[in-house]
């Protein structure tokens, strides 16, 4: 089977032959081919032998991909083809907007409608897990809507303040 | 001794306290909020009382609800853990006014020492060296400006009421002071219910060295040696160890004596921690007293063999310390790594969510105090600590090796954790050389990125997992219990119990 996988931002292509009766296979990655053997210890635990070296991997399926743990390092691994399909149908990958990085509570709104803001100017202060985070304007512009208020519970992706970019700001980008 | 205690806290520390309670034959009562209905501390306790909404003000910070939970269940004492109400003198006072025992210092001592500016004044009077800074909290920005000019920049803005780095800001120029003071006030207000702040001199690359003290009601005070907690991110400790690689026996003795005088000066009773900053020249300055059990207390337990929670309960029950300073010995080296739900790649931003799979490290010299399990949702409402991985070994080199081994066994999948970051710190030549200071992370790990060395292996793990497909059923005969457990068998057992 051929896999095109995204580990972090890197693409990994590998070809794995079907597993034989003793769960052995050959894996080709670029121009390197290795013999591996795998045992499923339980639904989250794989014991993999790569060229005879035993490694324990832990896996956990999550929406959009699978967490894989090797030697203390956890990676979110995605099927690259599925990621590309999601991207082409969905909104921009990195929305440039005033939105919290984590679920949070709004502490203060520091701007109002019609106010002109500089790039980097603090707009909203949110609190998550007892830590305050200042959300700044990603570009210079005019505030056209404030969609939140102090005390509101907000989620990543929720646009707390709409900013209409200034003409120069667009030209800069 | 008490027969039942209420633990006014949650997470790993509540679980840790309940474990000692059980060993002492003391029943434990958990309290919980909406977000914590199935949290580990609720599952560990003998009884659990629902307090209210997930917001701390409606649950873990609500004095009235906690007191009535204690009365309702017949608990005789309340252990506050760390955080929440642990350093709130009004709570300690209220507990004793209600005829219950507060497992911690008397309210008055907490008031004196817990307020950092008062504590500084007390220490100066008792000849314990203090860092140059303000001796009273201040909110007027003009007075703060004047004080900062006198101390000299850079200065540190600190919350008078709290610890854990909350409300703390470094200010390098006069222009930054007003904003930093406003942010620190608001953070302190939300974390401790008291927005008072003060300023002190900011030291360059000091070590954080603290001493554990124990004081009973009969005037006996001992220290249980130091903990070095220099490895910090955002002014919050993430790796702690004991002994400190920086202390000579002579310096240790002087600092220990200063810690004992600090505790005496504040009329301290119960377990407490006297924190110092140690500069490059070997001079040390009093930082603050933490009037509670510390997060990092297990490393002291590992090296001294003492159970600090047991000592706390005995002291609270009025028993004298059963040993003197000469009887306190320690052996080997212990290290703690704090494991938070946070993203080390994104400035350690909290990373709440579901823990899809968790597996605990085990083996010689390993202790894992945690409150996570597969399927548990990490609530967004509280401090993101998941657990503390602690190791003990004969010496520092073996302890580093053991911690590295244990971190590689500590599996948490579903939320971001700093485990990989901690591993890289442990393996760094600077940490291994013991050359640690409070700016260590900024200096050596500011641009840290995860290593891609094992990414091929993780990709292979994904591929093999897909190829093997769902597999819980086909291994049921080998892995799980031999026979499915019939509910009727269980009912039979319940009948016997009744």
């Amino acid at each position: 089977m051929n896999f095109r996988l995204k580990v972090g931002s890197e693409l990994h292509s590998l070809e794995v032959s079907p597993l034989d009766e003793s769960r052995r296979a050959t894996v080709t990655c670029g121009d390197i081919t290795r013999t591996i053997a795998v045992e499923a210890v339980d639904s989250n635990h794989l014991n993999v032998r790569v060229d005879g070296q035993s490694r324990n991997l832990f896996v956990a399926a999550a929406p959009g991909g699978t967490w894989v743990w090797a030697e203390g390092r956890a990676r979110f691994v995605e099927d690259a083809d599925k990621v590309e399909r999601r991207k082409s149908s969905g909104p921009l990958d990195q929305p440039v907007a005033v939105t919290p990085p984590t679920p949070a509570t709004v502490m203060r709104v520091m701007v109002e409608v019609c106010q002109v803001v500089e790039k980097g100017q603090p707009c909203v202060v949110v609190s998550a897990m007892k830590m305050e985070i200042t959300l700044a304007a990603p570009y210079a512009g005019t505030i056209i809507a404030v969609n939140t208020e102090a005390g509101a519970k907000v989620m990543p992706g929720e646009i707390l303040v709409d900013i209409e970019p200034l003409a120069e700001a667009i030209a800069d980008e | 001794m008490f027969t039942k205690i209420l633990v006014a806290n949650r997470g790993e520390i509540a679980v840790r306290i309940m474990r000692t309670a059980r060993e002492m034959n003391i029943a434990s009562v958990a309290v919980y909020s909406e977000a914590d209905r199935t949290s580990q501390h609720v599952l560990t306790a003998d009884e659990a009382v629902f307090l209210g909404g997930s917001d701390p003000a409606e649950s873990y910070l609500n004095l009235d609800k906690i007191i009535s939970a204690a009365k309702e269940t017949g608990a005789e004492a309340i252990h506050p853990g760390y955080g929440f109400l642990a350093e709130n003198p009004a709570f300690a006072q209220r507990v004793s006014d209600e005829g219950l025992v507060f497992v911690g210092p008397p309210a008055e001592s907490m008031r004196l020492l817990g307020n950092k500016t008062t504590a500084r004044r007390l220490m100066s009077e008792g000849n314990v060296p203090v860092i140059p800074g303000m001796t009273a909290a201040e909110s007027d920005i003009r007075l703060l400006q004047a004080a900062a000019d006198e101390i000299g920049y850079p200065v540190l803005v600190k919350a008078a009421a709290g610890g854990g780095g909350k409300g703390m800001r470094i200010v390098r120029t006069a222009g930054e002071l007003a904003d930093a003071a406003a942010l620190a006030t608001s953070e302190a207000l939300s974390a401790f219910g008291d927005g008072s702040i003060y300023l002190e001199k900011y030291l360059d690359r000091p070590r954080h060295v603290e001493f554990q003290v124990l004081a009973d009601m009969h005037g006996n005070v001992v220290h249980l040696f130091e903990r070095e907690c220099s490895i910090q991110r955002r002014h919050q400790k993430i790796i702690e160890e004991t002994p400190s690689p920086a202390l000579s026996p002579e310096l240790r003795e002087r600092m220990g004596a200063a810690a004992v005088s600090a505790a005496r000066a504040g009329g301290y009773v119960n377990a407490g921690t006297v924190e110092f900053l140690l500069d490059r020249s070997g001079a040390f300055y009093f930082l603050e007293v933490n009037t509670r059990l510390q997060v990092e207390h297990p490393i002291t337990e590992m090296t001294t063999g003492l159970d600090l929670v047991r000592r706390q309960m005995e002291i609270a029950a009025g028993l004298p310390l059963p040993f003197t300073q000469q009887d306190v010995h320690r052996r080997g080296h212990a290290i703690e790594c704090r494991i938070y739900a946070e993203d080390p790649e994104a400035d350690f931003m909290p990373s709440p969510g579901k823990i899809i799979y968790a597996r605990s490290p085990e083996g010689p010299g390993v202790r894992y105090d945690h409150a996570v399990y597969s399927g548990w949702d990490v609530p967004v409402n509280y401090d993101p600590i998941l657990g503390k991985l602690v190791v003990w070994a004969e010496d520092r080199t073996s302890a580093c090796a053991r911690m590295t081994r244990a971190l590689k066994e500590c599996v948490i999948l579903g939320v971001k954790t700093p485990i990989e970051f901690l591993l890289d710190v442990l393996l760094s030549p600077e940490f291994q050389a013991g050359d640690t200071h409070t700016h260590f992370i900024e200096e050596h790990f500011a641009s840290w990125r995860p290593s891609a060395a094992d990414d091929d292996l993780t990709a292979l793990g994904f591929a093999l997992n897909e190829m093997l497909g769902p597999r819980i059923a086909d291994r049921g005969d080998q892995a799980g219990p031999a026979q499915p457990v019939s509910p009727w068998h269980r009912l039979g057992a319940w009948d016997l119990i009744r």
Side-chain angles (χ1 to χ4, degrees):
Chain A
M1 282 180 82
N2 288 311
F3 293 89
R4 282 184 62 231
L5 303 174
K6 227 181 124 220
V7 184
S9 55
E10 295 296 307
L11 196 67
H12 291 248
S13 295
L14 41 138
E15 195 184 327
V16 187
S17 72
L19 295 169
D20 70 14
E21 287 157 2
S22 39
R23 296 193 182 86
R24 276 190 306 240
T26 57
V27 179
T28 309
C29 181
D31 48 11
I32 303 167
T33 298
R34 289 200 161 93
T35 309
I36 64 110
V38 60
E39 287 296 339
V41 181
D42 61 36
S43 52
N44 296 99
H45 183 180
L46 301 178
N47 180 261
V48 181
R49 265 151 284 163
V50 183
D51 289 338
Q53 290 291 302
S54 170
R55 307 289 286 270
N56 288 298
L57 305 181
F58 295 89
V59 294
T66 298
W67 287 97
V68 183
W69 172 279
E71 305 283 323
R73 303 183 192 271
R75 294 285 176 272
F76 191 63
V77 186
E78 297 164 283
D79 183 323
D81 299 329
K82 285 186 189 159
V83 174
E84 274 153 31
R85 274 202 297 281
R86 270 204 305 277
K87 266 193 195 155
S88 55
S89 61
L92 280 174
D93 193 29
Q94 290 253 307
V96 191
V98 179
T99 185
T102 165
T105 306
V106 175
M107 303 302 288
R108 286 188 298 283
V109 178
M110 298 160 86
V111 292
E112 46 192 54
V113 175
C114 294
Q115 187 178 337
V116 176
V117 292
E118 301 284 320
K119 180 175 175 176
Q121 182 172 334
C123 293
V124 181
V125 177
V126 297
S127 159
M129 290 173 147
K130 290 164 77 185
M131 189 180 82
E132 291 206 347
I133 304 160
T134 302
L135 306 177
Y139 45 77
T142 308
I143 306 290
I144 53 169
V146 173
N147 309 319
T148 192
E149 56 183 1
K153 309 267 185 236
V154 292
M155 296 297 287
E158 225 172 284
I159 312 295
L160 307 186
V161 173
D162 284 320
I163 308 173
E164 188 175 75
L166 290 179
E168 312 87 273
I170 299 173
D172 277 355
E173 294 299 320
Chain B
M1 189 44 65
F2 317 115
T3 56
K4 191 188 275 189
I5 60 153
L6 181 140
V7 180
N9 214 299
R10 61 181 297 284
E12 67 85 19
I13 193 61
V15 173
R16 189 261 166 272
I17 294 162
M18 290 167 189
R19 282 182 165 147
T20 288
R22 181 153 300 168
E23 289 165 15
M24 295 177 76
N25 228 354
I26 300 171
S28 57
V29 181
V31 289
Y32 64 98
S33 69
E34 191 61 49
D36 274 332
R37 281 188 178 279
T38 56
S39 287
Q40 187 60 54
H41 73 285
V42 178
L43 310 178
T44 304
D46 295 302
E47 288 172 68
V49 178
F50 176 69
L51 293 180
S54 304
D55 192 296
E58 293 169 39
S59 45
Y60 302 106
L61 289 176
N62 193 306
L63 275 63
D64 292 333
K65 286 181 178 173
I66 291 170
I67 298 286
S68 52
K71 298 235 153 153
E72 209 175 282
T73 52
E76 303 136 280
I78 298 184
H79 196 306
Y82 56 70
F84 295 120
L85 295 168
E87 288 173 283
N88 182 330
F91 180 62
Q93 190 61 56
R94 174 77 188 278
V95 171
S96 54
D97 290 350
E98 298 278 350
L100 301 165
V101 176
F102 181 77
V103 183
E108 188 46 36
S109 173
M110 199 189 282
R111 209 170 276 130
L112 284 173
L113 291 170
N115 185 303
K116 292 177 198 168
T117 49
T118 318
R120 284 173 51 88
R121 207 163 43 228
L122 267 180
M123 295 309 138
S124 308
E125 286 161 16
N127 289 325
V128 178
V130 298
I131 305 170
M134 296 168 65
T135 49
E138 185 51 68
S139 57
D140 185 329
I141 185 64
R142 280 165 308 174
L143 294 175
L144 285 170
Q145 296 273 20
D149 289 340
E150 197 187 314
I151 297 165
Y153 288 93
V155 295
L156 206 53
V157 182
K158 299 179 79 173
K166 303 238 155 63
M168 205 187 276
R169 291 275 185 294
I170 303 170
V171 181
R172 295 188 188 275
T173 63
E176 300 166 12
L177 186 64
D179 282 353
L183 272 172
T185 303
S186 127
E187 244 181 69
L189 196 63
S190 72
F192 313 113
D194 177 354
S196 319
I197 54 164
Y198 70 102
L199 305 178
E200 69 181 29
K201 177 77 186 158
Y202 178 68
L203 297 176
D204 180 44
R205 300 189 307 156
R207 289 176 190 257
H208 175 117
V209 177
E210 61 186 29
F211 274 72
Q212 175 71 53
V213 295
L214 284 179
D216 66 17
M217 292 176 188
H218 312 277
N220 304 304
V221 185
V222 298
H223 72 80
L224 305 183
F225 305 105
E226 81 281 8
R227 294 184 287 255
E228 177 166 343
C229 318
S230 297
I231 307 294
Q232 308 183 353
R233 54 110 184 86
R234 277 200 324 250
H235 303 292
Q236 211 174 43
K237 304 160 187 169
I238 52 171
I239 301 178
E240 298 100 340
E241 64 179 309
T242 186
S244 161
L247 263 52
S248 65
E250 180 273 327
L251 181 55
R252 179 170 294 120
E253 202 176 313
R254 277 198 293 131
M255 292 180 79
V260 169
S261 343
R264 286 196 192 279
Y268 200 76
V269 175
N270 215 289
T273 295
V274 185
E275 296 188 333
F276 298 101
L277 287 179
L278 177 66
D279 78 9
R280 311 299 277 182
S281 73
F284 63 92
Y285 304 95
F286 170 78
L287 193 60
E288 62 186 57
V289 177
N290 288 309
T291 58
R292 55 168 154 87
L293 187 66
Q294 295 275 92
V295 174
E296 60 274 21
H297 76 276
I299 57 173
T300 298
E301 298 187 321
M302 297 294 265
T303 47
T304 60
L306 297 169
D307 179 337
L308 291 184
V309 172
R310 178 184 285 264
R311 294 299 149 211
Q312 285 194 293
M313 308 256 223
E314 289 179 356
I315 291 169
L319 298 175
L321 279 174
F323 49 76
T324 64
Q325 189 67 58
Q326 284 67 42
D327 302 322
V328 182
H329 298 287
R330 68 169 166 187
R331 203 168 152 253
H333 198 99
I335 304 178
E336 172 181 281
C337 282
R338 297 195 191 184
I339 298 170
Y340 289 88
E342 65 182 16
D343 184 356
E345 267 192 279
D347 197 24
F348 301 94
M349 205 66 86
S351 168
K354 188 184 278 298
I355 294 185
I356 307 167
Y357 180 72
R359 184 184 162 104
S360 300
E362 292 169 0
V366 174
R367 166 173 171 181
Y368 184 33
D369 281 21
H370 70 98
V372 304
Y373 55 84
S374 305
W376 182 63
D377 267 303
V378 183
V380 60
N381 318 75
Y382 314 111
D383 191 87
I385 195 161
L386 299 175
K388 297 156 353 193
L389 182 54
V390 181
V391 300
W392 179 92
E394 289 149 54
D395 53 41
R396 190 171 190 270
T397 309
S398 332
C400 284
R402 184 162 276 170
M403 179 57 87
T404 306
R405 187 270 290 171
L407 281 168
K408 288 182 178 179
E409 287 183 16
C410 184
V411 183
I412 298 174
L413 293 176
V415 299
K416 298 270 178 73
T417 76
I419 290 173
E420 180 170 9
F421 178 83
L422 293 164
L423 261 176
D424 288 347
V425 172
L426 261 292
L427 293 168
S428 70
E430 295 84 4
F431 184 85
Q432 301 224 337
D435 187 12
T436 51
H437 55 81
T438 57
H439 305 168
F440 185 93
I441 300 296
E442 293 155 74
E443 192 173 310
H444 303 294
F445 285 87
S447 51
W448 178 84
R449 285 288 167 267
S451 150
D454 282 324
D455 284 4
D456 278 338
L457 187 64
T458 48
L460 177 63
F462 178 100
L464 294 173
N465 188 44
E466 294 282 304
M467 289 169 71
L468 288 161
R471 55 187 176 275
I472 205 141
D474 63 8
R475 286 191 58 88
D477 55 336
Q478 297 164 44
Q483 297 292 323
V485 180
S486 155
W488 296 108
H489 289 134
R490 292 237 169 130
L491 272 182
W494 276 108
D495 271 344
L496 285 176
I497 290 164
R498 275 195 223 115

